[in-house]
Amino acid sequence: DLLLNEVRPPRPVADGLQQIDRAGRRAAELTKQLLQFARREPQQEAVVDLVAVVSAGLRLMKPALKKSTQIVWNAPDVQLLVPMDGLHLDQILLNLLLNADLAMATGGTIELRIWEAGAGQSAAEGVICEGRSVVLTVTDQGCGMSEETLSRVFDPFFSTRGPAAGTGLGLSLVYGLMRQCGGQIHLSSVVDRGTTVTLVFPSAAESWLEVERVSSGGACMS
Ligand SMILES: Nc1ncnc2c1ncn2[C@@H]1O[C@H](COP(=O)(O)OP(=O)(O)OP(=O)(O)O)[C@@H](O)[C@H]1O
Ligand SMILES: [Mg+2]
């Protein structure tokens, strides 16, 4: 950054410096993901509103996507609490958005939906909600995945992008974070049609009410 801004080198040198800058940022991001993946940090006691965090994250992350990528946002205008740290939720969202964006070489639409599901309700094919849940689906119109790719997407370091472009840690990280919060993740994909990622979070609405009750000294006293 310093060299680029202060020395103003000639074009080929500037291009090279920009590449070094990009590689550095990517290395830093990879190290962060690796550390988090290796540490398997215990989940902090956190409860966030999935609707608010995803909608704020989308505004922030939209500029990182291709101009030709549209976002369709479909969520109820209520708080839906899930037991997860906000930063982890941002990481999940960023990984899913980047995957979807990369899958749509010539642009297209990414649809995000959030909805509440009851115990025993189906969130996707073969995915049954164990208790009261909040579901987030991310659907793209991209290249989709073959059965072979689909069966390996959660393997750490599995990537079809080549070593310079993908580390293959994105979905493994998302998988780990969903497991930590007691949730589920499911992918369905059709080659040349697109992919839907379904995340099922256990609802934190009840535990939140419990905390409120205890802290206000109400119902627990009787
Ligand atoms: N939405 C999607 N559409 C098509 N293929 C996908 C999609 N999401 C993931 N994949 C496939 O799954 C592979 C693994 O994805 P993952 O996010 O774990 O790693 P990556 O994107 O290759 O690298 P990283 O996320 O670490 O930069 C990808 O290389 C790609 O082949
Ligand atoms: Mg990825």
Side-chain angles (χ1 to χ4, degrees), residues 55-131:
S55 112
L58 276 178
R59 270 198 301 278
L60 215 68
M61 295 166 198
K62 179 76 177 61
L65 308 180
K66 285 193 289 285
K67 283 212 170 66
S68 51
T69 296
Q70 305 295 316
I71 301 273
V72 171
W73 170 236
N74 198 333
D77 201 9
V78 291
Q79 272 200 343
L80 293 174
L81 301 174
V82 297
M84 189 175 273
D85 179 77
L87 286 176
H88 287 166
L89 209 48
D90 281 344
Q91 271 186 314
I92 290 179
L93 185 65
L94 185 61
N95 276 304
L96 297 184
L97 286 177
L98 290 178
N99 280 349
D101 188 56
L102 284 169
M104 301 192 298
T106 53
T109 300
I110 305 176
E111 185 185 358
L112 291 103
R113 263 187 79 204
I114 295 181
W115 47 286
E116 267 192 293
Q121 207 174 324
S122 162
E125 209 185 305
V127 184
I128 305 294
C129 299
E130 282 159 19

Side-chain angles (χ1 to χ4, degrees), residues 131-210:
R132 188 172 161 194
S133 304
V134 183
V135 184
L136 166 66
T137 59
V138 180
T139 302
D140 65 59
Q141 304 172 321
C143 58
M145 280 171 264
S146 66
E147 284 292 320
E148 221 254 297
T149 298
L150 205 50
S151 68
R152 299 184 61 194
V153 280
F154 297 131
D155 293 353
F157 302 109
F158 173 76
S159 176
T160 59
R161 306 195 201 288
T167 61
L169 282 176
L171 285 176
S172 347
L173 187 86
V174 176
Y175 177 85
L177 290 172
M178 289 310 292
R179 284 287 298 269
Q180 275 183 27
C181 83
Q184 305 181 64
I185 174 167
H186 176 263
L187 267 78
S188 70
S189 191
V190 179
V191 173
D192 292 336
R193 291 280 294 278
T195 299
T196 294
V197 182
T198 304
L199 304 179
V200 182
F201 299 84
S203 166
E206 268 102 30
S207 51
W208 186 250
L209 277 180
E210 217 30 68

Side-chain angles (χ1 to χ4, degrees), residues 27-55:
E29 187 53 39
L30 170 61
T31 314
K32 211 168 81 194
Q33 296 219 18
L34 262 175
L35 282 174
Q36 201 159 25
F37 186 72
R39 270 195 224 122
R40 299 235 168 221
E41 292 167 359
Q43 189 74 25
Q44 286 176 5
E45 288 290 322
V47 166
V48 291
D49 173 12
L50 186 71
V51 179
V53 174
V54 173
S55 112

